[in-house]
Amino acid sequence: MPFASIAVEELLLVLKIAFVVLLYLFIWRIVRTASKDLRMPQESFILAPSQAQDMAVVRDSGPRDVGRLVVVRSPTLEPGEGRMLDSAPLTVGRGPQNDIALDGDDYASAKHARIEPRRDGVWVEDIGSTNGTYLNGIKLTRARKLTPGDVVRVGETELRYETRRHRGAVFGRPQRQSRHGLQVGVASDASVARRN
C-alpha cells in the first residue's frame, strides 16, 4: 500500500509540473504575439482636416429630400394632401402616434406600414397590419422599393409616391397645412389652365 501512495504522489507531482510548464508556454506565446503587434507599423486613426471634410461629404450624401407621398383617395384625408419625405422613416396607421394618422380609416391598423428612405431609395413595408399593405394592388409580403408613381394602399387610403424628377400635378404647387399635419396643394390659375 505505501508503494501505491508514493506512485500516486509522484504522478500528481509530474502532472503539476506539466501544468506549470504549459501555463508558462501559454504566457510566453501571449507576450511574443503582443510584442510582434507592437513592433508592426500601425495605421493612424487620426484624420487630417481635409480628410475629415471628405468623410463628412461622403457621410452626408444620404437622402434628404427624397420625394413626397400624395393622397389619392382616403376616407380621412383630403385628396391632394401630401407629406414630404426626408431621411426619417414615416409610419402610417390609425393610431395617433403615427406620422400619417388615419384615425377615420376603419380598415387601417393602429400601426400599419412604414415608409423608410434609405441610401438606395424609398422602401415600404407592412408592420404587422391585420388587412395588409398593398403596393400597386399587390399585397406586400416583405419590404419593397418604391418607384415614382407607385400607389401604396393602407386600409382604404391610397398614397402615391412622387419625386421631383417625376412630379405629379400636386407636387409643384404652393402648399398649405391641413388639419392632419399634411400639406395640401393649392391650385394656381396657371396649373388649372395647364390641366384644361
Side-chain angles (χ1 to χ4, degrees):
M1 262 237 228
F3 179 71
S5 68
I6 291 175
V8 170
E9 286 181 19
E10 287 177 359
L11 180 63
L12 288 174
L13 179 64
V14 169
L15 288 174
K16 287 179 186 177
I17 290 172
F19 177 73
V20 170
V21 168
L22 287 174
L23 184 64
Y24 277 114
L25 281 172
F26 178 71
I27 293 172
W28 176 73
R29 296 269 312 208
I30 291 174
V31 169
R32 190 178 77 169
T33 303
S35 66
K36 281 183 182 178
D37 287 345
L38 290 174
R39 280 181 270 172
M40 290 177 66
Q42 299 290 319
E43 284 188 37
S44 175
F45 291 107
I46 300 172
L47 298 175
S50 62
Q51 291 173 320
Q53 288 173 347
D54 292 343
M55 292 296 287
V57 168
V58 169
R59 197 176 319 124
D60 290 341
S61 65
R64 287 292 176 247
D65 179 18
V66 294
R68 170 182 174 88
L69 292 173
V70 177
V71 176
V72 176
R73 78 180 171 96
S74 173
T76 304
L77 307 173
E78 297 175 30
E81 288 186 40
R83 175 72 184 242
M84 295 299 293
L85 298 172
D86 54 20
S87 58
L90 295 176
T91 55
V92 182
R94 198 174 61 238
Q97 75 277 10
N98 293 293
D99 299 302
I100 300 178
L102 306 173
D103 53 341
D105 192 335
D106 295 332
Y107 292 95
S109 296
K111 287 187 96 173
H112 199 105
R114 176 180 328 155
I115 298 168
E116 182 177 9
R118 300 177 186 168
R119 288 197 181 278
D120 60 342
V122 177
W123 292 73
V124 61
E125 131 181 70
D126 185 88
I127 51 177
S129 68
T130 304
N131 294 323
T133 302
Y134 292 81
L135 177 62
N136 298 325
I138 300 170
K139 188 173 185 177
L140 292 176
T141 56
R142 60 185 173 87
R144 299 296 300 241
K145 186 176 177 180
L146 293 176
T147 57
D150 281 348
V151 175
V152 177
R153 191 175 89 218
V154 174
E156 292 184 307
T157 300
E158 291 183 356
L159 304 166
R160 184 178 56 245
Y161 172 65
E162 298 178 349
T163 61
R164 287 193 185 277
R165 279 175 283 198
H166 303 88
R167 59 175 74 170
V170 176
F171 195 90
R173 296 185 194 163
Q175 304 296 313
R176 69 172 170 81
Q177 209 68 9
S178 77
R179 60 188 170 95
H180 299 285
L182 300 173
Q183 296 174 342
V184 178
V186 179
S188 65
D189 293 335
S191 65
V192 171
R194 270 183 274 151
R195 274 189 260 157
N196 294 332

